[in-house]
Each structure stands twice: as structure tokens, then as C-alpha cells.
Amino acid sequence: MHLLALLTGIILLHAVNGSPQPSAPSPTGSSSFSKTTKYPLPNLGNVAVHDPNILRHEGAYWLFKGGVHLPMYTSESLDGPWTPLGTVLDGPSAIPKQNRSRPWAPTVVAWNATFYCFYSISKAGSRNSAVGVATATHLEAGSWSDHGALINTGQGNGSEIYPYTVSNAIDPAFITDQSTGQPYLLYGSYWHGIYLVPLAADLLSVVQEEPERQNATANLVYVPDEQVKPVEGSFMSYRDPYYYAWFSHGKCCGFQNGFPAVGKEYSIRVGRSKDVQGPFVDKDGRQLTDGGGTVVYGSNHGTVYAPGGVGILSGADGESDVLYYHYLNTSIGFSDTDAQLGWNYLDYKDGWPVAVSGDNSTGPSESSGVAFGPDYTLHVFSFIFVWGYLWLHS
């Protein structure tokens, strides 16, 4: 019977040691994290990323993120695994501003048989920023040409022209007018919010109108009544008959030293319009330039914190649209490098997007966004087998 006790102890010890361990201690400020179940847990992208951008091309997914020289990846599935391909830029950006080696928030689009990567050059708290652009004919590292600054704010060529005199040139995104084919660039952060400006046909310059005729430049999102105006990270999608202006609202990062009040962290918001230039309104009819914005995805379940950096993959052949974003998992950590890729399908109710749970390619435990406990089934059967064997031979 001593042998039985010994084997029992070994089995139980193995069961305990087989439990998954968190990669970081649980934060002490748990009251800062919303436990709402209003939003579904994310499907896991299984890659660390901040401000993700995903392009679907030739049956695969191509992911771009902010970082040294703009890292790029590819995968057959949004769940990964993601294969690193190198970087968009071969070295520092051609833009002579701070953080040239570490651009932010890229957006890659295919246009007239060419790929365009719009990217940001800036630093936190500064309006001396720029949106740059690089081009390639193939989605490969080493094949991109950097064309430098498309727009400047704070300093640089064109920074003295409205709306660059009042805005911050970061977080670029792209949309075309469905009726005219006119391409537009979205950009902006804090200060005077998010803008839409028309691009030339080659996407390498902005169409500048006469000062008295600036009706093609639109202020899409603004917070007029608060000193701090935490709107940024815009994206625009189209689903007939509406254009949807997406953006991140709230505090994005820097949580190592504390957390804002619940609801003041990043959340993903939206407004809609039948005109690409707006005005955009939220579900309550409030204009986005008056501080409006319907929350589509926010912190939830005490696990998902500060989701933002939003993008939309439009469904093809009857598939659902996909909402993707980065978020912080409260069991992992709160630095920018801890941010994870998450995604959900979208339903539309009365023309308003709603994030829904579930996906078509992974099992429940893979798509939950939260760690599951160990499965003790094998341990129990092992114990029964050993106990029975020893009982029969005692």
C-alpha cells in the first residue's frame, strides 16, 4: 500500500504541475477592468501586435504592424500561425523626423496593380508628425520603394496648409468613393480629431484645393467640449448603402503605472453616413464631430482590456465582415509589446454593426480569448487504472 500512496502522490503532483501558468501576475487594480459580457470574447489571432493592419490577397492574409522598419507576416488563417516575412522598409524612413526607424500604424492597400503602405512617423504627445507612403508590386520584403512624406503636421512641407495646421498626421487609413472612384486618406489623432483628404490617382500626393474651396477636406471625428480629445486610429469601411467611420476612443497605452477610470480606456466606436465625406452620426443620431460614436467593442469579461487599432475585412461571397483589433489580455501584461491580435465577425442590425462570438476555423478553447484550466480526465483514468492493478495484486 505504500507503493499505492507513492503513485497517487506522483499522479496528483503531475496534475498540479500540468496546469497552465499565467505569463504575468494578475494586476492589483482589478476594479479597473470591466467584467461586462455585453461584448463577445475575441477569436485569438495568436500573434503579438499593436495597431494591426490586415490585407487579404490571393487566398492568404498579410499582416502589417508598427515596429522597426514595419514588420510584415503572412498566414492562411486569421488564427495563425503567422510567418514573419521581414520588413516593408529596408532602413529608417526617408522622412527626417523623430522615430524614423520605428514607424507607427501602417495601412496597406492594393490599387492599380500596386501595393501601397501608408505609415506614421511621430512620437507620443507631439504634433510634429508625418504620414509616409511606400510602394511595391509584390508583397515581399526588400521590394518596397519609400516615397517619404505624403502629409506633414507641425513642421515640414505643406504643414502650413489647413487642415495640417490643426491636426496630427498619424494613423492613416484608406477608402474610395463608391460612386466616383475617388481615393481618400483618413488620418488624425487628438488635437482636432480625424480628417479625410482626397488623394491623387497615383496615391502619392494629396489633391490640394484652393483655400476658399476646401469642401473635399472633411473633419470626420472631433470632441469639441473636452480639453483632452482622445480620438484616433480611424478606419473606414463600406456596406451598402453606408460608409462606416471607425475609430478608437480613450487611453491607448502606458498602463504600467496605473489605469484610468473604467470606460476611459480604448474602445472601438463607429458612426455611419451615405456620403464618404459625412457627416457621420452614431446610433443615437449624434454627429461624430460633436463627440458622438457608438461603442461596438470595449473591454469585457475582466480579460479583454483597451481594444483598439481597429480594421475591417469586408466579407466576400456572402461571408461576414470581420472586425480585427489589438487588445491587452489582463493575464499577460499591459505594455505595448503585450498587445494581442483579436477578431470577431460582424452582424448588422438595422444597419448597425454588432460584434458576435464564434468563428468557422477554430474550436471553442482556441477562440475564447482566455486561458482554460487543465483537463484532468487522463489523470483520473490513470489513477483508477493503477489503483485497480494494485488492488488485484495485493
Side-chain angles (χ1 to χ4, degrees), residues 75-141:
S75 174
E76 297 299 315
S77 167
L78 286 173
D79 306 314
W82 295 92
T83 302
L85 300 175
T87 59
V88 171
L89 302 181
D90 294 330
S93 166
I95 301 171
K97 293 191 176 186
Q98 65 281 339
N99 291 338
R100 294 172 57 204
S101 294
R102 196 176 183 86
W104 295 356
T107 287
V108 177
V109 299
W111 178 265
N112 292 338
T114 300
F115 298 100
Y116 292 77
C117 177
F118 302 98
Y119 63 87
S120 312
I121 296 292
S122 189
K123 68 177 182 180
S126 171
R127 205 175 67 81
N128 183 23
S129 310
V131 169
V133 60
T135 60
T137 55
H138 301 282
L139 289 173
E140 299 173 356

Side-chain angles (χ1 to χ4, degrees), residues 48-50 252-256 326 328 334-340:
V49 61
H50 198 270
C252 72
C253 34
F255 301 117
Q256 297 90 331
H326 73 248
L328 295 168
F334 297 92
S335 69
D336 289 353
T337 56
D338 291 323
Q340 305 293 308

Side-chain angles (χ1 to χ4, degrees), residues 321-344:
D321 290 353
V322 170
L323 169 76
Y324 66 86
Y325 47 87
H326 73 248
Y327 72 99
L328 295 168
N329 187 315
T330 58
S331 67
I332 294 176
F334 297 92
S335 69
D336 289 353
T337 56
D338 291 323
Q340 305 293 308
L341 174 65
W343 63 276
N344 296 88

